[in-house]
Amino acid sequence: MEERVKSLTYKGRRHLPLPTGPFTVGCTDVMTSYLKFGVFVRLYYPSRDQGILDRYLQWPLWLPHKEYLNGYSVRLGIPSSIFRFLHQILVGKLYIPAVWHAALRQSDEKYPVVVFSHGLSGWRTVYSSLCLELASYGFVVAAVEHRDYSASASFYKKQVRMSASGTNPGASLCDLDDLLNDQTDFVDGKWDPGQGTQDTSMRSRQVKYRAKECMEVLDLLEDLNKGRYVVNVLESNIDSGMFYNQLDLKNAFFIGHSFGGSTGILCLATELRFKAGIFLDPWMLPFFEDQSCFSMISQPFLCLLVKSFQTKKSLEILKNLQDMHSQSQFYFIKDADHRDLCDTPFVNKYSLSLSSKVGLRIERFAALELMSDLIFQYLGHHLGKSIRSSSSKIESLKKKFLRSEEYFTKLIA
């Protein structure tokens, strides 16, 4: 795997791994309103195009804009100029191997859908490797960019009057301090990504707003499937009508990582349109004071945890969640890092972890491989079919690093 990833460069363009499924992947952004809180998603879907390498000039960049680096640098407490320099050296330009604004592959069998929620300081492209893989096997994935201060940055379309000379409306990209300059029902005043990380009250309000956004994404997908006109203020070239009667909303799944995982817990408690959920190392701080929503969950879910990220208190709360839902599945990945479950292992040109090289932690890409396998097996179970088979390497990784429910009791004791 290490050697395969090192060679991921085509025509001078370094890119995320090519998805392994039978379909070429298309992608586009949809923003539904000029208002700052309009739903904003990156859609990944099976494309009718063939030959992804032949279309390398149509690949979008993994980093949508440098402002996302500025926001993340605040979260890390690193001056933005230094962080951008390090990003240029260690990452540089990285591309997503998907056809921008591609046409949807029309199918007699509707595509199941996934709503994906990012973690704190993430954005809509941070989990592109997993979203690409899902789309290549016949899912339509809507990766949300949240507008609750939890993203590193976001942008919105400014509504501008057309002048007599026909000036086009302009798009403005802003950091989070500028995104919300008014009082809201979930944030008391202004907050920047580097402060208030452990503010339980604020996080509990944010997770409610995030869940509301995910429900609105389901509304958007329903509108697309019914052939209703959907405003996309980004004025992309995509034809929203191509999704008409192509989406299987009876098989709608939620996947979220970290803050996105806790968002999924609330989503399943309040939105019955989700058939099942997958929580990737959920951040349980929003539920430290109130877990009343746990008993409201009626759908099954899979919870994948990284031991090093979870505190004793969060593990106790997760154990309560597990005890309320005996049909749920809980797994732990040993010797992994919380960020191993997003695109981070693929983003850096070089592995900076000596501990993984000497065997003190999981191999650089192993956690992603395990996560991906568990997700496909779980989704396949709920769809009643096998989507992607496990390799012998995956089975070996499971024996070495994956632990199930009995490991939970050992950690709590």
Side-chain angles (χ1 to χ4, degrees), residues 58-93:
Q58 295 173 266
W59 295 353
L61 283 166
W62 178 82
L63 182 69
H65 194 280
K66 68 179 181 181
E67 287 294 344
Y68 290 89
L69 295 180
N70 294 340
Y72 201 73
S73 68
V74 175
R75 176 74 179 85
L76 297 175
I78 301 174
S80 59
S81 58
I82 295 176
F83 189 70
R84 288 198 303 270
F85 173 76
L86 291 174
H87 182 272
Q88 181 62 33
I89 298 299
L90 300 176
V91 179
K93 287 187 176 180

PDB file of all heavy atoms in Angstrom, residues 58-93:
ATOM      1  N   GLN A  58      -9.593  17.578 -15.755  1.00  0.00           N
ATOM      2  CA  GLN A  58     -10.876  17.918 -15.137  1.00  0.00           C
ATOM      3  C   GLN A  58     -10.913  17.588 -13.647  1.00  0.00           C
ATOM      4  O   GLN A  58     -11.956  17.706 -13.022  1.00  0.00           O
ATOM      5  CB  GLN A  58     -12.015  17.178 -15.859  1.00  0.00           C
ATOM      6  CG  GLN A  58     -12.215  17.601 -17.300  1.00  0.00           C
ATOM      7  CD  GLN A  58     -13.229  16.712 -17.999  1.00  0.00           C
ATOM      8  OE1 GLN A  58     -12.878  15.727 -18.650  1.00  0.00           O
ATOM      9  NE2 GLN A  58     -14.495  17.053 -17.858  1.00  0.00           N
ATOM     10  N   TRP A  59      -9.787  17.163 -13.095  1.00  0.00           N
ATOM     11  CA  TRP A  59      -9.757  16.849 -11.668  1.00  0.00           C
ATOM     12  C   TRP A  59      -9.744  18.125 -10.835  1.00  0.00           C
ATOM     13  O   TRP A  59      -8.966  19.051 -11.106  1.00  0.00           O
ATOM     14  CB  TRP A  59      -8.508  16.046 -11.326  1.00  0.00           C
ATOM     15  CG  TRP A  59      -8.429  14.691 -11.957  1.00  0.00           C
ATOM     16  CD1 TRP A  59      -9.399  14.052 -12.676  1.00  0.00           C
ATOM     17  CD2 TRP A  59      -7.306  13.808 -11.916  1.00  0.00           C
ATOM     18  NE1 TRP A  59      -8.953  12.827 -13.097  1.00  0.00           N
ATOM     19  CE2 TRP A  59      -7.677  12.652 -12.637  1.00  0.00           C
ATOM     20  CE3 TRP A  59      -6.045  13.875 -11.347  1.00  0.00           C
ATOM     21  CZ2 TRP A  59      -6.809  11.578 -12.793  1.00  0.00           C
ATOM     22  CZ3 TRP A  59      -5.179  12.812 -11.502  1.00  0.00           C
ATOM     23  CH2 TRP A  59      -5.564  11.672 -12.215  1.00  0.00           C
ATOM     24  N   PRO A  60     -10.583  18.212  -9.794  1.00  0.00           N
ATOM     25  CA  PRO A  60     -10.538  19.382  -8.908  1.00  0.00           C
ATOM     26  C   PRO A  60      -9.423  19.248  -7.881  1.00  0.00           C
ATOM     27  O   PRO A  60      -8.964  18.138  -7.560  1.00  0.00           O
ATOM     28  CB  PRO A  60     -11.906  19.357  -8.227  1.00  0.00           C
ATOM     29  CG  PRO A  60     -12.262  17.900  -8.186  1.00  0.00           C
ATOM     30  CD  PRO A  60     -11.691  17.295  -9.455  1.00  0.00           C
ATOM     31  N   LEU A  61      -8.975  20.373  -7.359  1.00  0.00           N
ATOM     32  CA  LEU A  61      -7.990  20.374  -6.291  1.00  0.00           C
ATOM     33  C   LEU A  61      -8.618  19.889  -4.986  1.00  0.00           C
ATOM     34  O   LEU A  61      -9.784  20.159  -4.694  1.00  0.00           O
ATOM     35  CB  LEU A  61      -7.424  21.780  -6.079  1.00  0.00           C
ATOM     36  CG  LEU A  61      -6.397  22.258  -7.108  1.00  0.00           C
ATOM     37  CD1 LEU A  61      -6.180  23.762  -6.974  1.00  0.00           C
ATOM     38  CD2 LEU A  61      -5.068  21.513  -6.931  1.00  0.00           C
ATOM     39  N   TRP A  62      -7.815  19.200  -4.183  1.00  0.00           N
ATOM     40  CA  TRP A  62      -8.287  18.735  -2.877  1.00  0.00           C
ATOM     41  C   TRP A  62      -8.531  19.913  -1.944  1.00  0.00           C
ATOM     42  O   TRP A  62      -9.496  19.919  -1.183  1.00  0.00           O
ATOM     43  CB  TRP A  62      -7.250  17.780  -2.272  1.00  0.00           C
ATOM     44  CG  TRP A  62      -7.607  17.277  -0.909  1.00  0.00           C
ATOM     45  CD1 TRP A  62      -8.443  16.232  -0.615  1.00  0.00           C
ATOM     46  CD2 TRP A  62      -7.130  17.774   0.346  1.00  0.00           C
ATOM     47  NE1 TRP A  62      -8.522  16.055   0.747  1.00  0.00           N
ATOM     48  CE2 TRP A  62      -7.723  16.989   1.356  1.00  0.00           C
ATOM     49  CE3 TRP A  62      -6.258  18.795   0.714  1.00  0.00           C
ATOM     50  CZ2 TRP A  62      -7.470  17.206   2.707  1.00  0.00           C
ATOM     51  CZ3 TRP A  62      -6.009  19.016   2.055  1.00  0.00           C
ATOM     52  CH2 TRP A  62      -6.606  18.230   3.043  1.00  0.00           C
ATOM     53  N   LEU A  63      -7.669  20.926  -1.993  1.00  0.00           N
ATOM     54  CA  LEU A  63      -7.838  22.112  -1.157  1.00  0.00           C
ATOM     55  C   LEU A  63      -8.594  23.163  -1.962  1.00  0.00           C
ATOM     56  O   LEU A  63      -8.059  23.702  -2.930  1.00  0.00           O
ATOM     57  CB  LEU A  63      -6.477  22.663  -0.722  1.00  0.00           C
ATOM     58  CG  LEU A  63      -6.513  23.882   0.200  1.00  0.00           C
ATOM     59  CD1 LEU A  63      -7.060  23.493   1.568  1.00  0.00           C
ATOM     60  CD2 LEU A  63      -5.120  24.497   0.341  1.00  0.00           C
ATOM     61  N   PRO A  64      -9.844  23.487  -1.595  1.00  0.00           N
ATOM     62  CA  PRO A  64     -10.619  24.413  -2.416  1.00  0.00           C
ATOM     63  C   PRO A  64     -10.054  25.828  -2.450  1.00  0.00           C
ATOM     64  O   PRO A  64     -10.200  26.526  -3.444  1.00  0.00           O
ATOM     65  CB  PRO A  64     -12.004  24.400  -1.741  1.00  0.00           C
ATOM     66  CG  PRO A  64     -12.042  23.154  -0.919  1.00  0.00           C
ATOM     67  CD  PRO A  64     -10.630  22.933  -0.491  1.00  0.00           C
ATOM     68  N   HIS A  65      -9.406  26.277  -1.361  1.00  0.00           N
ATOM     69  CA  HIS A  65      -8.911  27.649  -1.283  1.00  0.00           C
ATOM     70  C   HIS A  65      -7.954  27.750  -0.097  1.00  0.00           C
ATOM     71  O   HIS A  65      -8.084  27.030   0.900  1.00  0.00           O
ATOM     72  CB  HIS A  65     -10.078  28.624  -1.109  1.00  0.00           C
ATOM     73  CG  HIS A  65      -9.715  30.061  -1.358  1.00  0.00           C
ATOM     74  ND1 HIS A  65      -9.072  30.836  -0.425  1.00  0.00           N
ATOM     75  CD2 HIS A  65      -9.923  30.861  -2.431  1.00  0.00           C
ATOM     76  CE1 HIS A  65      -8.893  32.057  -0.906  1.00  0.00           C
ATOM     77  NE2 HIS A  65      -9.391  32.103  -2.125  1.00  0.00           N
ATOM     78  N   LYS A  66      -6.987  28.669  -0.188  1.00  0.00           N
ATOM     79  CA  LYS A  66      -5.995  28.819   0.871  1.00  0.00           C
ATOM     80  C   LYS A  66      -6.610  29.251   2.195  1.00  0.00           C
ATOM     81  O   LYS A  66      -5.987  29.053   3.261  1.00  0.00           O
ATOM     82  CB  LYS A  66      -4.915  29.813   0.451  1.00  0.00           C
ATOM     83  CG  LYS A  66      -5.411  31.247   0.325  1.00  0.00           C
ATOM     84  CD  LYS A  66      -4.284  32.195  -0.059  1.00  0.00           C
ATOM     85  CE  LYS A  66      -4.773  33.637  -0.157  1.00  0.00           C
ATOM     86  NZ  LYS A  66      -3.678  34.551  -0.553  1.00  0.00           N
ATOM     87  N   GLU A  67      -7.801  29.852   2.181  1.00  0.00           N
ATOM     88  CA  GLU A  67      -8.425  30.280   3.424  1.00  0.00           C
ATOM     89  C   GLU A  67      -8.708  29.105   4.356  1.00  0.00           C
ATOM     90  O   GLU A  67      -8.754  29.270   5.573  1.00  0.00           O
ATOM     91  CB  GLU A  67      -9.729  31.046   3.151  1.00  0.00           C
ATOM     92  CG  GLU A  67      -9.527  32.442   2.586  1.00  0.00           C
ATOM     93  CD  GLU A  67      -8.858  33.379   3.565  1.00  0.00           C
ATOM     94  OE1 GLU A  67      -8.818  33.071   4.768  1.00  0.00           O
ATOM     95  OE2 GLU A  67      -8.363  34.433   3.125  1.00  0.00           O
ATOM     96  N   TYR A  68      -8.869  27.907   3.795  1.00  0.00           N
ATOM     97  CA  TYR A  68      -9.073  26.738   4.643  1.00  0.00           C
ATOM     98  C   TYR A  68      -7.814  26.444   5.454  1.00  0.00           C
ATOM     99  O   TYR A  68      -7.883  25.976   6.590  1.00  0.00           O
ATOM    100  CB  TYR A  68      -9.467  25.536   3.795  1.00  0.00           C
ATOM    101  CG  TYR A  68     -10.855  25.657   3.203  1.00  0.00           C
ATOM    102  CD1 TYR A  68     -11.053  26.265   1.966  1.00  0.00           C
ATOM    103  CD2 TYR A  68     -11.966  25.181   3.880  1.00  0.00           C
ATOM    104  CE1 TYR A  68     -12.323  26.386   1.421  1.00  0.00           C
ATOM    105  CE2 TYR A  68     -13.236  25.304   3.356  1.00  0.00           C
ATOM    106  CZ  TYR A  68     -13.409  25.912   2.126  1.00  0.00           C
ATOM    107  OH  TYR A  68     -14.669  26.048   1.599  1.00  0.00           O
ATOM    108  N   LEU A  69      -6.659  26.725   4.882  1.00  0.00           N
ATOM    109  CA  LEU A  69      -5.402  26.574   5.625  1.00  0.00           C
ATOM    110  C   LEU A  69      -5.306  27.609   6.733  1.00  0.00           C
ATOM    111  O   LEU A  69      -4.840  27.306   7.837  1.00  0.00           O
ATOM    112  CB  LEU A  69      -4.207  26.703   4.679  1.00  0.00           C
ATOM    113  CG  LEU A  69      -4.045  25.633   3.602  1.00  0.00           C
ATOM    114  CD1 LEU A  69      -2.808  25.930   2.769  1.00  0.00           C
ATOM    115  CD2 LEU A  69      -3.945  24.251   4.228  1.00  0.00           C
ATOM    116  N   ASN A  70      -5.730  28.832   6.446  1.00  0.00           N
ATOM    117  CA  ASN A  70      -5.679  29.877   7.459  1.00  0.00           C
ATOM    118  C   ASN A  70      -6.530  29.502   8.659  1.00  0.00           C
ATOM    119  O   ASN A  70      -6.124  29.666   9.819  1.00  0.00           O
ATOM    120  CB  ASN A  70      -6.152  31.213   6.877  1.00  0.00           C
ATOM    121  CG  ASN A  70      -5.220  31.747   5.812  1.00  0.00           C
ATOM    122  OD1 ASN A  70      -4.057  31.353   5.740  1.00  0.00           O
ATOM    123  ND2 ASN A  70      -5.714  32.642   4.971  1.00  0.00           N
ATOM    124  N   GLY A  71      -7.739  28.994   8.390  1.00  0.00           N
ATOM    125  CA  GLY A  71      -8.611  28.587   9.482  1.00  0.00           C
ATOM    126  C   GLY A  71      -8.037  27.426  10.274  1.00  0.00           C
ATOM    127  O   GLY A  71      -8.106  27.401  11.503  1.00  0.00           O
ATOM    128  N   TYR A  72      -7.440  26.461   9.584  1.00  0.00           N
ATOM    129  CA  TYR A  72      -6.878  25.299  10.277  1.00  0.00           C
ATOM    130  C   TYR A  72      -5.644  25.685  11.083  1.00  0.00           C
ATOM    131  O   TYR A  72      -5.392  25.127  12.153  1.00  0.00           O
ATOM    132  CB  TYR A  72      -6.534  24.207   9.268  1.00  0.00           C
ATOM    133  CG  TYR A  72      -6.428  22.835   9.894  1.00  0.00           C
ATOM    134  CD1 TYR A  72      -7.582  22.168  10.295  1.00  0.00           C
ATOM    135  CD2 TYR A  72      -5.202  22.225  10.087  1.00  0.00           C
ATOM    136  CE1 TYR A  72      -7.500  20.919  10.875  1.00  0.00           C
ATOM    137  CE2 TYR A  72      -5.110  20.967  10.670  1.00  0.00           C
ATOM    138  CZ  TYR A  72      -6.263  20.321  11.061  1.00  0.00           C
ATOM    139  OH  TYR A  72      -6.184  19.082  11.643  1.00  0.00           O
ATOM    140  N   SER A  73      -4.888  26.650  10.594  1.00  0.00           N
ATOM    141  CA  SER A  73      -3.707  27.101  11.339  1.00  0.00           C
ATOM    142  C   SER A  73      -4.109  27.713  12.680  1.00  0.00           C
ATOM    143  O   SER A  73      -3.405  27.549  13.685  1.00  0.00           O
ATOM    144  CB  SER A  73      -2.903  28.116  10.515  1.00  0.00           C
ATOM    145  OG  SER A  73      -3.614  29.329  10.364  1.00  0.00           O
ATOM    146  N   VAL A  74      -5.248  28.422  12.709  1.00  0.00           N
ATOM    147  CA  VAL A  74      -5.749  28.967  13.969  1.00  0.00           C
ATOM    148  C   VAL A  74      -6.092  27.840  14.930  1.00  0.00           C
ATOM    149  O   VAL A  74      -5.791  27.893  16.114  1.00  0.00           O
ATOM    150  CB  VAL A  74      -6.983  29.863  13.719  1.00  0.00           C
ATOM    151  CG1 VAL A  74      -7.590  30.336  15.040  1.00  0.00           C
ATOM    152  CG2 VAL A  74      -6.602  31.059  12.861  1.00  0.00           C
ATOM    153  N   ARG A  75      -6.722  26.807  14.394  1.00  0.00           N
ATOM    154  CA  ARG A  75      -7.084  25.642  15.218  1.00  0.00           C
ATOM    155  C   ARG A  75      -5.851  24.996  15.835  1.00  0.00           C
ATOM    156  O   ARG A  75      -5.875  24.555  16.984  1.00  0.00           O
ATOM    157  CB  ARG A  75      -7.839  24.641  14.338  1.00  0.00           C
ATOM    158  CG  ARG A  75      -8.188  23.333  15.030  1.00  0.00           C
ATOM    159  CD  ARG A  75      -9.316  23.531  16.015  1.00  0.00           C
ATOM    160  NE  ARG A  75      -9.654  22.283  16.660  1.00  0.00           N
ATOM    161  CZ  ARG A  75      -9.039  21.804  17.742  1.00  0.00           C
ATOM    162  NH1 ARG A  75      -8.066  22.469  18.309  1.00  0.00           N
ATOM    163  NH2 ARG A  75      -9.431  20.659  18.277  1.00  0.00           N
ATOM    164  N   LEU A  76      -4.744  24.955  15.083  1.00  0.00           N
ATOM    165  CA  LEU A  76      -3.509  24.334  15.565  1.00  0.00           C
ATOM    166  C   LEU A  76      -2.638  25.284  16.372  1.00  0.00           C
ATOM    167  O   LEU A  76      -1.670  24.858  17.007  1.00  0.00           O
ATOM    168  CB  LEU A  76      -2.700  23.792  14.383  1.00  0.00           C
ATOM    169  CG  LEU A  76      -3.352  22.681  13.556  1.00  0.00           C
ATOM    170  CD1 LEU A  76      -2.477  22.336  12.361  1.00  0.00           C
ATOM    171  CD2 LEU A  76      -3.618  21.451  14.408  1.00  0.00           C
ATOM    172  N   GLY A  77      -2.955  26.584  16.319  1.00  0.00           N
ATOM    173  CA  GLY A  77      -2.133  27.558  17.023  1.00  0.00           C
ATOM    174  C   GLY A  77      -0.820  27.852  16.330  1.00  0.00           C
ATOM    175  O   GLY A  77       0.167  28.206  16.979  1.00  0.00           O
ATOM    176  N   ILE A  78      -0.793  27.730  15.005  1.00  0.00           N
ATOM    177  CA  ILE A  78       0.408  27.986  14.205  1.00  0.00           C
ATOM    178  C   ILE A  78       0.154  29.218  13.344  1.00  0.00           C
ATOM    179  O   ILE A  78      -0.913  29.325  12.739  1.00  0.00           O
ATOM    180  CB  ILE A  78       0.743  26.778  13.309  1.00  0.00           C
ATOM    181  CG1 ILE A  78       0.977  25.520  14.147  1.00  0.00           C
ATOM    182  CG2 ILE A  78       1.956  27.069  12.430  1.00  0.00           C
ATOM    183  CD1 ILE A  78       1.168  24.265  13.318  1.00  0.00           C
ATOM    184  N   PRO A  79       1.089  30.153  13.261  1.00  0.00           N
ATOM    185  CA  PRO A  79       0.891  31.312  12.373  1.00  0.00           C
ATOM    186  C   PRO A  79       0.558  30.848  10.959  1.00  0.00           C
ATOM    187  O   PRO A  79       1.182  29.916  10.439  1.00  0.00           O
ATOM    188  CB  PRO A  79       2.242  32.038  12.431  1.00  0.00           C
ATOM    189  CG  PRO A  79       2.807  31.660  13.772  1.00  0.00           C
ATOM    190  CD  PRO A  79       2.364  30.245  14.005  1.00  0.00           C
ATOM    191  N   SER A  80      -0.419  31.504  10.334  1.00  0.00           N
ATOM    192  CA  SER A  80      -0.905  31.051   9.031  1.00  0.00           C
ATOM    193  C   SER A  80       0.186  31.046   7.966  1.00  0.00           C
ATOM    194  O   SER A  80       0.219  30.161   7.102  1.00  0.00           O
ATOM    195  CB  SER A  80      -2.073  31.927   8.578  1.00  0.00           C
ATOM    196  OG  SER A  80      -1.685  33.281   8.488  1.00  0.00           O
ATOM    197  N   SER A  81       1.114  32.024   8.027  1.00  0.00           N
ATOM    198  CA  SER A  81       2.179  32.066   7.015  1.00  0.00           C
ATOM    199  C   SER A  81       3.081  30.842   7.117  1.00  0.00           C
ATOM    200  O   SER A  81       3.502  30.271   6.099  1.00  0.00           O
ATOM    201  CB  SER A  81       2.999  33.344   7.181  1.00  0.00           C
ATOM    202  OG  SER A  81       3.557  33.421   8.489  1.00  0.00           O
ATOM    203  N   ILE A  82       3.376  30.429   8.347  1.00  0.00           N
ATOM    204  CA  ILE A  82       4.214  29.243   8.552  1.00  0.00           C
ATOM    205  C   ILE A  82       3.470  27.984   8.110  1.00  0.00           C
ATOM    206  O   ILE A  82       4.037  27.102   7.455  1.00  0.00           O
ATOM    207  CB  ILE A  82       4.647  29.133  10.027  1.00  0.00           C
ATOM    208  CG1 ILE A  82       5.558  30.309  10.401  1.00  0.00           C
ATOM    209  CG2 ILE A  82       5.345  27.807  10.292  1.00  0.00           C
ATOM    210  CD1 ILE A  82       5.961  30.329  11.863  1.00  0.00           C
ATOM    211  N   PHE A  83       2.192  27.924   8.470  1.00  0.00           N
ATOM    212  CA  PHE A  83       1.416  26.737   8.127  1.00  0.00           C
ATOM    213  C   PHE A  83       1.264  26.594   6.618  1.00  0.00           C
ATOM    214  O   PHE A  83       1.376  25.491   6.072  1.00  0.00           O
ATOM    215  CB  PHE A  83       0.042  26.799   8.800  1.00  0.00           C
ATOM    216  CG  PHE A  83      -0.748  25.527   8.668  1.00  0.00           C
ATOM    217  CD1 PHE A  83      -0.361  24.381   9.346  1.00  0.00           C
ATOM    218  CD2 PHE A  83      -1.868  25.471   7.855  1.00  0.00           C
ATOM    219  CE1 PHE A  83      -1.087  23.201   9.224  1.00  0.00           C
ATOM    220  CE2 PHE A  83      -2.596  24.300   7.716  1.00  0.00           C
ATOM    221  CZ  PHE A  83      -2.202  23.164   8.417  1.00  0.00           C
ATOM    222  N   ARG A  84       1.047  27.705   5.918  1.00  0.00           N
ATOM    223  CA  ARG A  84       0.930  27.632   4.458  1.00  0.00           C
ATOM    224  C   ARG A  84       2.240  27.200   3.827  1.00  0.00           C
ATOM    225  O   ARG A  84       2.251  26.460   2.841  1.00  0.00           O
ATOM    226  CB  ARG A  84       0.488  28.980   3.891  1.00  0.00           C
ATOM    227  CG  ARG A  84      -0.965  29.338   4.169  1.00  0.00           C
ATOM    228  CD  ARG A  84      -1.468  30.434   3.224  1.00  0.00           C
ATOM    229  NE  ARG A  84      -0.653  31.637   3.294  1.00  0.00           N
ATOM    230  CZ  ARG A  84      -0.872  32.644   4.132  1.00  0.00           C
ATOM    231  NH1 ARG A  84      -1.882  32.588   4.986  1.00  0.00           N
ATOM    232  NH2 ARG A  84      -0.101  33.712   4.120  1.00  0.00           N
ATOM    233  N   PHE A  85       3.372  27.662   4.404  1.00  0.00           N
ATOM    234  CA  PHE A  85       4.678  27.250   3.893  1.00  0.00           C
ATOM    235  C   PHE A  85       4.874  25.748   4.078  1.00  0.00           C
ATOM    236  O   PHE A  85       5.325  25.040   3.163  1.00  0.00           O
ATOM    237  CB  PHE A  85       5.790  28.027   4.614  1.00  0.00           C
ATOM    238  CG  PHE A  85       7.180  27.562   4.270  1.00  0.00           C
ATOM    239  CD1 PHE A  85       7.757  27.898   3.058  1.00  0.00           C
ATOM    240  CD2 PHE A  85       7.901  26.775   5.157  1.00  0.00           C
ATOM    241  CE1 PHE A  85       9.035  27.456   2.733  1.00  0.00           C
ATOM    242  CE2 PHE A  85       9.174  26.334   4.846  1.00  0.00           C
ATOM    243  CZ  PHE A  85       9.742  26.677   3.629  1.00  0.00           C
ATOM    244  N   LEU A  86       4.532  25.240   5.279  1.00  0.00           N
ATOM    245  CA  LEU A  86       4.664  23.808   5.541  1.00  0.00           C
ATOM    246  C   LEU A  86       3.760  22.998   4.616  1.00  0.00           C
ATOM    247  O   LEU A  86       4.148  21.937   4.113  1.00  0.00           O
ATOM    248  CB  LEU A  86       4.318  23.515   7.007  1.00  0.00           C
ATOM    249  CG  LEU A  86       5.303  24.043   8.050  1.00  0.00           C
ATOM    250  CD1 LEU A  86       4.759  23.808   9.459  1.00  0.00           C
ATOM    251  CD2 LEU A  86       6.660  23.371   7.896  1.00  0.00           C
ATOM    252  N   HIS A  87       2.564  23.523   4.358  1.00  0.00           N
ATOM    253  CA  HIS A  87       1.655  22.827   3.462  1.00  0.00           C
ATOM    254  C   HIS A  87       2.231  22.757   2.044  1.00  0.00           C
ATOM    255  O   HIS A  87       2.111  21.728   1.363  1.00  0.00           O
ATOM    256  CB  HIS A  87       0.295  23.546   3.450  1.00  0.00           C
ATOM    257  CG  HIS A  87      -0.734  22.868   2.591  1.00  0.00           C
ATOM    258  ND1 HIS A  87      -0.883  23.133   1.254  1.00  0.00           N
ATOM    259  CD2 HIS A  87      -1.653  21.915   2.885  1.00  0.00           C
ATOM    260  CE1 HIS A  87      -1.843  22.389   0.767  1.00  0.00           C
ATOM    261  NE2 HIS A  87      -2.330  21.645   1.728  1.00  0.00           N
ATOM    262  N   GLN A  88       2.839  23.832   1.608  1.00  0.00           N
ATOM    263  CA  GLN A  88       3.434  23.855   0.276  1.00  0.00           C
ATOM    264  C   GLN A  88       4.548  22.819   0.151  1.00  0.00           C
ATOM    265  O   GLN A  88       4.676  22.137  -0.875  1.00  0.00           O
ATOM    266  CB  GLN A  88       3.979  25.248  -0.040  1.00  0.00           C
ATOM    267  CG  GLN A  88       4.589  25.394  -1.410  1.00  0.00           C
ATOM    268  CD  GLN A  88       3.596  25.154  -2.535  1.00  0.00           C
ATOM    269  OE1 GLN A  88       2.419  25.464  -2.401  1.00  0.00           O
ATOM    270  NE2 GLN A  88       4.076  24.596  -3.639  1.00  0.00           N
ATOM    271  N   ILE A  89       5.355  22.672   1.215  1.00  0.00           N
ATOM    272  CA  ILE A  89       6.477  21.736   1.191  1.00  0.00           C
ATOM    273  C   ILE A  89       6.010  20.291   1.329  1.00  0.00           C
ATOM    274  O   ILE A  89       6.449  19.400   0.585  1.00  0.00           O
ATOM    275  CB  ILE A  89       7.483  22.073   2.316  1.00  0.00           C
ATOM    276  CG1 ILE A  89       8.068  23.473   2.108  1.00  0.00           C
ATOM    277  CG2 ILE A  89       8.589  21.025   2.373  1.00  0.00           C
ATOM    278  CD1 ILE A  89       8.834  23.651   0.822  1.00  0.00           C
ATOM    279  N   LEU A  90       5.117  20.052   2.300  1.00  0.00           N
ATOM    280  CA  LEU A  90       4.735  18.682   2.649  1.00  0.00           C
ATOM    281  C   LEU A  90       3.578  18.149   1.813  1.00  0.00           C
ATOM    282  O   LEU A  90       3.429  16.933   1.664  1.00  0.00           O
ATOM    283  CB  LEU A  90       4.359  18.603   4.132  1.00  0.00           C
ATOM    284  CG  LEU A  90       5.463  18.996   5.119  1.00  0.00           C
ATOM    285  CD1 LEU A  90       4.936  18.958   6.548  1.00  0.00           C
ATOM    286  CD2 LEU A  90       6.665  18.065   4.975  1.00  0.00           C
ATOM    287  N   VAL A  91       2.758  19.038   1.278  1.00  0.00           N
ATOM    288  CA  VAL A  91       1.579  18.602   0.528  1.00  0.00           C
ATOM    289  C   VAL A  91       1.620  19.106  -0.912  1.00  0.00           C
ATOM    290  O   VAL A  91       1.575  18.334  -1.860  1.00  0.00           O
ATOM    291  CB  VAL A  91       0.276  19.086   1.217  1.00  0.00           C
ATOM    292  CG1 VAL A  91      -0.943  18.645   0.402  1.00  0.00           C
ATOM    293  CG2 VAL A  91       0.192  18.543   2.638  1.00  0.00           C
ATOM    294  N   GLY A  92       1.717  20.426  -1.084  1.00  0.00           N
ATOM    295  CA  GLY A  92       1.676  20.996  -2.422  1.00  0.00           C
ATOM    296  C   GLY A  92       0.288  20.861  -3.027  1.00  0.00           C
ATOM    297  O   GLY A  92      -0.713  20.776  -2.318  1.00  0.00           O
ATOM    298  N   LYS A  93       0.226  20.814  -4.342  1.00  0.00           N
ATOM    299  CA  LYS A  93      -1.063  20.657  -5.009  1.00  0.00           C
ATOM    300  C   LYS A  93      -1.446  19.178  -5.033  1.00  0.00           C
ATOM    301  O   LYS A  93      -0.684  18.337  -5.481  1.00  0.00           O
ATOM    302  CB  LYS A  93      -1.007  21.208  -6.431  1.00  0.00           C
ATOM    303  CG  LYS A  93      -0.978  22.727  -6.506  1.00  0.00           C
ATOM    304  CD  LYS A  93      -1.085  23.200  -7.948  1.00  0.00           C
ATOM    305  CE  LYS A  93      -1.160  24.715  -8.020  1.00  0.00           C
ATOM    306  NZ  LYS A  93      -1.277  25.201  -9.418  1.00  0.00           N
TER     307      LYS A  93
END
